[in-house]
């Protein structure tokens, strides 16, 4: 782990669910969150398979970029689909995948993404979070079309319906991106259990407060606000 990349991580089952279908991983300078779907057992298996595959494909590799990360997600997609083929009772299982890699020289960041977990950037001196990833969900499509407002999306009855998920489709499209990193940047990877209970403004405010463990503080805030869903957070701060 690069000493300039300070990492904080936390996960919680929430106040309602019996099991945690979220998974995450932190290794080398790679950060992963995954939110499984398809029922407690199947969702947990899918998110764990995603994390395990990504770790196997990316761990120990010197040069990583968005293309390599994209390939890792596609390999996980194949593995999950094969698992469903072998276990028909798990039909419909899948997972989100959000991966961040910051180069060891702290100059560049690459990401790859599927689903409605999110990657945010809070740049030093800026008030607002920048959402780097795009949600692959039915309600997000409606918002982009102008059919509903962002506020209406929060309460839409189909707000949990994904349009893309790892394991759910044969020809999966993976979003990727890259950016130049600046000293003081804070990256946040989170499953949707956080965004259900905190606005971007509230998240940014907490991150700027300089909490000793911002990941745990974010998770606890979501729980205090109702915390019905699993919630997982990874914060990477470049000191």
């Amino acid at each position: 782990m690069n000493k300039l990349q300070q990492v904080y991580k936390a996960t919680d089952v929430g106040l309602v669910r019996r099991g945690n279908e979220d998974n995450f991983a932190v290794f080398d300078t790679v950060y992963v969150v995954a939110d499984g779907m398809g029922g407690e057992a199947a969702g947990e298996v899918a998110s764990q398979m995603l994390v395990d595959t990504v770790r196997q494909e990316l761990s120990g590799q010197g040069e990583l970029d968005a293309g390599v990360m994209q390939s890792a997600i596609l390999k996980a997609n194949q593995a999950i689909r094969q698992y469903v083929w072998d276990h028909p009772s798990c039909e419909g299982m899948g997972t989100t995948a959000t991966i961040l890699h910051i180069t060891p020289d702290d100059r560049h960041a690459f990401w790859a993404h599927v689903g409605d977990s999110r990657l945010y950037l809070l740049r030093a001196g800026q008030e607002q979070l920048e959402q780097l990833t795009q949600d692959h969900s039915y309600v997000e499509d409606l918002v982009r079309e102008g059919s509903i407002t962002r506020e209406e999306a929060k309460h839409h009855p189909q707000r949990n319906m994904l349009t893309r998920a790892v394991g759910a489709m044969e020809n999966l499209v993976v979003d990727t991106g890259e950016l130049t990193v600046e000293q003081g940047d804070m990256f946040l990877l989170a499953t949707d259990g956080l965004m259900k209970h905190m606005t971007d403004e509230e998240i940014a405010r907490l991150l700027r407060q300089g909490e000793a463990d911002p990941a745990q503080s974010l998770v606890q805030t979501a729980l205090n606000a109702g915390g019905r869903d699993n919630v997982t957070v990874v914060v990477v701060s470049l000191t």
Side-chain angles (χ1 to χ4, degrees), residues 38-73:
E40 291 179 6
E44 182 178 351
V45 169
S47 62
Q48 188 65 59
M49 289 181 70
L50 180 282
V51 167
D52 289 347
T53 302
V54 169
R55 186 191 296 272
Q56 180 179 347
E57 292 297 306
L58 303 185
S59 182
Q61 291 200 29
E63 294 290 334
L64 295 179
D65 58 25
V68 176
M69 295 156 65
Q70 178 187 52
S71 296
I73 292 178

Side-chain angles (χ1 to χ4, degrees), residues 14-25:
L15 304 177
V16 175
R17 302 288 182 89
R18 290 180 298 175
N20 194 344
E21 296 181 276
D22 287 357
N23 267 291
F24 70 93

Side-chain angles (χ1 to χ4, degrees), residues 73 95-98 112-117 136 164-166 172-175:
I73 292 178
T95 182
T96 69
T98 304
H113 166 75
V114 174
D116 67 350
S117 298
H136 301 136
R164 283 191 228 170
V166 184
L172 181 67
V173 176
V174 180
D175 290 352

